[in-house]
Amino acid sequence: MKYIVKILKIEQVTHDVKRFVVEKPQNYKFIPGQATYVSINKKGWKEEERPFTFTSLNENPILEFTIKKYEERKGVTNEIHKLNPGDELIIQEPFGTINYKEPGIFIAGGAGITPFIAIFRQLREENRLQGNKLIFSNKKQEDIILEKELKEMFRDNLILTLTEEGKKEYESKKIDETFLKNKIKDFKQNFYICGPPGMVEDLKKILKKLGADIQQIVFEGK
């Protein structure tokens, strides 16, 4: 099933990330962490479908996507960032495997934070964020998506690391085995991972080596 939805609002989130608020089809439902295929309702782009995660909550009257632009690819994200309110997107039915089970440790790299945003917001609404921790890796501070909101949510349970910039109040290391051993005491808890495919694969191997049960690792390359 495909739905044509109008863009209602666009906001700049970071230098290369925008928030798109769009119409929500009647009776359209999803679970936090799920995504849908999105294309642009313009000639030459209607069949160029890409998966994007909802960053709104199911009970919201609108849908929201938080989308990073990959300008060098000259593809869909680049074209979406050129759109204006009033332009239209084509969305499909929700899908996805990142479902929150129990408290644990979320590890995200760059735009890999987006599948977690709706999960965090839902947990906040239900007063169930306690017991969760977020480790979020970016190249530079300017790349951090929703930094202020994440700090308000997680407080002392947030670790931000920058791999290409040294700044006070931020870690400046790659998330590797040594990093995880220094930051995590219990590897028998739930782990939720999302980021570039190479990062996800490396972290799965490291976590298994450190004693994490693969059934407890929910992942999605981004």
Side-chain angles (χ1 to χ4, degrees), residues 52-200:
F52 294 107
T53 313
F54 305 104
T55 51
S56 50
L57 300 183
N58 182 57
E59 58 263 32
N60 294 155
I62 49 80
L63 295 175
E64 176 189 294
F65 299 95
T66 304
I67 299 175
K68 179 175 179 177
K69 174 176 65 173
Y70 296 91
E71 195 165 1
E72 68 281 1
R73 298 179 189 175
K74 308 296 182 189
V76 173
T77 62
N78 203 31
E79 288 302 310
I80 285 179
H81 269 241
K82 295 176 184 177
L83 299 178
N84 297 298
D87 289 333
E88 294 176 336
L89 300 176
I90 303 170
I91 65 170
Q92 301 183 33
E93 296 295 339
F95 70 91
T97 57
I98 294 187
N99 294 326
Y100 180 77
K101 297 177 181 178
E102 295 176 345
I105 294 179
F106 289 82
I107 305 175
I113 194 70
T114 53
F116 296 155
I117 292 170
I119 293 173
F120 298 156
R121 288 174 171 170
Q122 188 70 52
L123 290 174
R124 178 178 58 188
E125 285 290 308
E126 298 170 358
N127 199 27
R128 293 199 297 136
L129 259 177
Q130 189 172 357
N132 289 290
K133 184 171 190 172
L134 172 61
I135 301 173
F136 189 15
S137 176
N138 287 275
K139 292 179 180 178
K140 298 181 179 181
Q141 185 189 3
E142 66 177 9
D143 300 319
I144 302 174
I145 296 171
L146 300 176
E147 179 178 6
K148 183 180 178 183
E149 183 177 357
L150 293 173
K151 283 181 173 178
E152 290 171 350
M153 284 180 173
F154 286 93
R155 301 184 183 276
D156 294 337
N157 289 314
L158 172 65
I159 298 173
L160 297 173
T161 183
L162 308 175
T163 57
E164 294 184 5
E165 186 176 47
K167 276 198 167 188
K168 277 187 176 182
E169 300 179 14
Y170 299 88
E171 297 279 344
S172 57
K173 298 173 183 175
K174 181 183 176 183
I175 302 175
D176 56 15
E177 184 176 343
T178 301
F179 185 97
L180 293 174
K181 283 163 72 174
N182 287 335
K183 302 297 180 184
I184 301 170
K185 294 179 181 178
D186 176 19
F187 286 92
K188 295 297 184 183
Q189 58 184 306
N190 290 291
F191 286 88
Y192 304 88
I193 311 168
C194 191
M199 173 187 175
V200 170

